[in-house]
């Protein structure tokens, strides 16, 4: 159903899934062995001069660049292995380094310190490793954009195919996007491959898919539904899935949240941010509609809940929902319940 689909989408788009690289930050850190140069000369003055010249030459050829840890986290295992192999062959240094949290570069949007890897080595070698990393990151970003477009489309347009049992099965996000693109371009037919490798020829006029080998046909249908409205007080999303907006202390929204929070807590508030997550909002809205239809407004039981947690857990919760199975694991078990308006 729609709720299950949205849950899969938000899991798919959670950019905070722990990667192999982030789990083990020593996975790729390395320092090459020191190179020793021996100079035979006529005297200490000549040796000193040669040493100075050599140091100057080496310094001119050395380069240092930083790469965000988040960039590495976009790489898959094969790409990480390729980077590690390249670093080993070139002999450059790669060192994990947290940036000073007080610096402008050392603060991300969530206010936490940023971490980088520092590449050091000969210019040609450093640039070759950077090129490898940048290509992989660009590839990941393109895939992310495509996945986001597919997921956003699936919120309002869904293609389905009737199986051998006569039941309608929703197509994958990729096939759904491909058929809708063909539909908008007014194409007559396109080819589609099923998860088990069967090639189908889709006739968009008759809404039928034909198996190339057996000639068997399957019915198709296109369903269009209205997108759920986002809250009117949200900042414009501009096709984004996730956004955090810092509230101004003089705003009514800030003051309402602060007042409710201080009903049971005396902690100092440093800042309040509104989390705007399209998938979580859609999942909540669908669940709310289902309960409303079943129980009615009087028995809706809608409340605002406040719960403590660790700073590290905030990122996961705001992007990929609150998991009640971890209740009490990251924060004190205090909360207040406020009937929602």
């Amino acid at each position: 159903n729609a709720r299950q689909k949205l849950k899969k989408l938000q899991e798919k788009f959670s950019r905070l899934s722990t990667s192999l690289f982030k789990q083990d930050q020593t996975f790729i850190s390395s320092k090459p062995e020191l190179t020793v140069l021996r100079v035979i000369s006529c005297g200490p003055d000549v040796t000193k001069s040669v040493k100075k010249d050599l140091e100057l030459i080496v310094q001119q050829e050395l380069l240092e660049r930083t790469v965000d840890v988040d960039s590495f986290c976009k790489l898959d295992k094969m790409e990480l292995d390729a980077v590690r192999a390249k670093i080993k062959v070139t002999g450059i240094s790669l060192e994990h380094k947290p940036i000073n949290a007080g610096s402008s570069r050392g603060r991300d949007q969530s206010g936490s310190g940023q971490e980088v890897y520092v590449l050091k080595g000969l210019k040609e070698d450093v640039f070759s490793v950077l090129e490898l990393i940048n290509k992989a990151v660009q590839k990941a970003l393109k895939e992310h954009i495509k996945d986001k477009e597919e997921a956003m489309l699936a919120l309002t347009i869904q293609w389905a195919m009737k199986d051998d049992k006569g039941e309608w099965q929703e197509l994958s996000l990729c096939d759904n996007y491909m058929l809708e693109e063909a539909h908008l371009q007014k194409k007559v037919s396109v080819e589609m491959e099923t998860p088990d490798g069967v090639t189908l020829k889709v006739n968009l006029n008759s809404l039928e898919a034909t198996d190339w080998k057996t000639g068997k046909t399957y019915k198709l249908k296109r369903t269009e539904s209205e997108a759920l409205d986002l809250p009117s007080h949200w900042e414009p999303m501009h096709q984004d899935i996730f956004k955090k907006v810092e509230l101004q202390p003089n705003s009514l929204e800030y003051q309402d949240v602060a007042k409710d929070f201080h009903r049971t807590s005396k902690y100092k508030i440093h800042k309040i941010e509104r989390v705007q997550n399209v998938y979580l909002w859609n999942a909540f809205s669908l669940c709310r509609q289902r309960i409303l239809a079943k129980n009615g407004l009087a028995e809706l039981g809608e409340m605002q809940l406040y719960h403590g947690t660790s700073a590290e857990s905030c990122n996961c919760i705001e992007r990929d929902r609150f998991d009640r199975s971890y209740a009490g694991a990251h924060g004190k078990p205090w909360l207040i319940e406020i009937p929602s308006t």
Side-chain angles (χ1 to χ4, degrees):
N1 58 28
R3 189 183 175 201
Q4 291 174 332
K5 178 175 69 178
L6 284 169
K7 185 177 179 180
K8 290 178 182 178
L9 292 180
Q10 58 189 80
E11 289 173 353
K12 179 176 182 180
F13 283 100
S14 175
R15 309 308 294 176
L16 294 166
S17 58
T18 306
S19 68
L20 172 65
F21 185 81
K22 207 163 189 177
Q23 287 176 0
D24 183 6
Q25 292 182 334
T26 64
F27 173 70
I28 201 169
S29 296
S30 64
K31 286 188 176 182
E33 295 181 4
L34 295 176
T35 300
V36 179
L37 298 178
R38 297 185 181 276
V39 179
I40 301 175
S41 66
C42 301
D45 291 339
V46 176
T47 302
K48 186 177 180 180
S49 177
V50 172
K51 178 183 177 183
K52 184 177 180 180
D53 291 341
L54 286 173
E55 288 178 345
L56 181 60
I57 293 173
V58 170
Q59 289 300 323
Q60 290 176 342
E61 291 299 319
L62 289 179
L63 184 69
E64 178 179 314
R65 288 290 185 271
T66 59
V67 180
D68 292 342
V69 168
D70 287 343
S71 294
F72 277 103
C73 292
K74 291 182 175 67
L75 277 59
D76 58 30
K77 185 179 183 303
M78 185 178 297
E79 291 165 339
L80 285 173
D81 288 342
V83 172
R84 179 172 58 180
K86 188 77 170 180
I87 290 173
K88 185 176 181 180
V89 170
T90 57
I92 66 175
S93 167
L94 182 62
E95 182 181 2
H96 174 253
K97 181 180 179 182
I99 296 179
N100 186 350
S103 66
S104 59
R105 177 172 166 74
R107 306 288 290 185
D108 58 20
Q109 291 183 349
S110 64
S112 60
Q114 188 178 11
E115 297 181 345
V116 299
Y117 274 85
V118 181
L119 288 165
K120 295 180 181 178
L122 296 177
K123 292 180 181 178
E124 182 179 352
D125 295 334
V126 172
F127 282 134
S128 66
V129 174
L130 285 175
E131 183 181 13
L132 190 62
I133 295 171
N134 289 336
K135 283 184 177 179
V137 171
Q138 289 299 317
K139 175 188 172 186
L141 289 175
K142 287 181 179 179
E143 291 175 350
H144 171 60
I145 292 173
K146 185 175 184 297
D147 288 345
K148 185 173 74 170
E149 290 176 347
E150 291 175 353
M152 291 296 292
L153 175 69
L155 293 175
T156 54
I157 303 293
Q158 186 59 60
W159 287 79
M161 183 169 63
K162 187 175 287 188
D163 61 17
D164 293 330
K165 297 179 181 179
E167 298 178 352
W168 289 104
Q169 301 294 336
E170 293 182 349
L171 299 182
S172 67
L173 295 179
C174 180
D175 290 337
N176 188 72
Y177 186 86
M178 183 268 293
L179 287 182
E180 183 61 21
E181 282 288 287
H183 169 74
L184 294 175
Q185 295 171 14
K186 301 187 183 302
K187 292 184 178 179
V188 177
S189 63
V190 291
E191 286 189 2
M192 181 179 71
E193 188 171 313
T194 64
D196 53 359
V198 176
T199 301
L200 302 175
K201 183 176 181 179
V202 178
N203 187 311
L204 293 169
N205 288 337
S206 63
L207 293 181
E208 290 182 335
T210 305
D211 188 327
W212 273 104
K213 292 184 178 180
T214 64
K216 187 174 182 178
T217 60
Y218 301 87
K219 289 290 185 181
L220 290 170
K221 72 175 181 178
R222 176 182 178 273
T223 305
E224 185 170 354
S225 57
E226 294 184 4
L228 295 172
D229 292 332
L230 298 178
S232 59
H233 65 283
W234 276 20
E235 293 289 321
M237 294 302 289
H238 301 302
Q239 298 301 311
D240 287 331
I241 303 298
F242 172 85
K243 180 185 290 187
K244 284 201 296 186
V245 179
E246 184 171 349
L247 303 182
Q248 296 302 314
N250 60 353
S251 69
L252 181 61
E253 185 178 5
Y254 181 104
Q255 293 170 6
D256 286 344
V257 174
K259 179 182 177 181
D260 292 339
F261 180 77
H262 280 144
R263 285 178 59 186
T264 58
S265 171
K266 301 301 181 184
Y267 287 107
K268 179 182 177 181
I269 297 176
H270 293 279
K271 66 177 177 178
I272 299 176
E273 293 176 316
R274 182 198 311 126
V275 176
Q276 300 184 180
N277 186 315
V278 174
Y279 290 148
L280 293 186
W281 174 257
N282 277 278
F284 162 76
S285 299
L286 289 170
C287 183
R288 185 181 188 278
Q289 288 178 2
R290 188 191 66 181
I291 296 175
L292 184 63
K294 180 181 178 181
N295 299 339
L297 185 60
E299 300 296 327
L300 185 60
E302 190 174 16
M303 299 179 179
Q304 292 180 352
L305 305 178
Y306 291 77
H307 193 285
T309 189
S310 66
E312 293 78 13
S313 299
C314 282
N315 287 332
C316 186
I317 292 172
E318 64 197 17
R319 287 180 178 267
D320 200 29
R321 78 191 184 282
F322 180 81
D323 191 338
R324 287 176 297 175
S325 65
Y326 290 100
H330 301 297
K332 295 184 181 298
W334 56 264
L335 58 84
I336 57 176
E337 300 181 0
I338 305 168
S340 173
T341 56

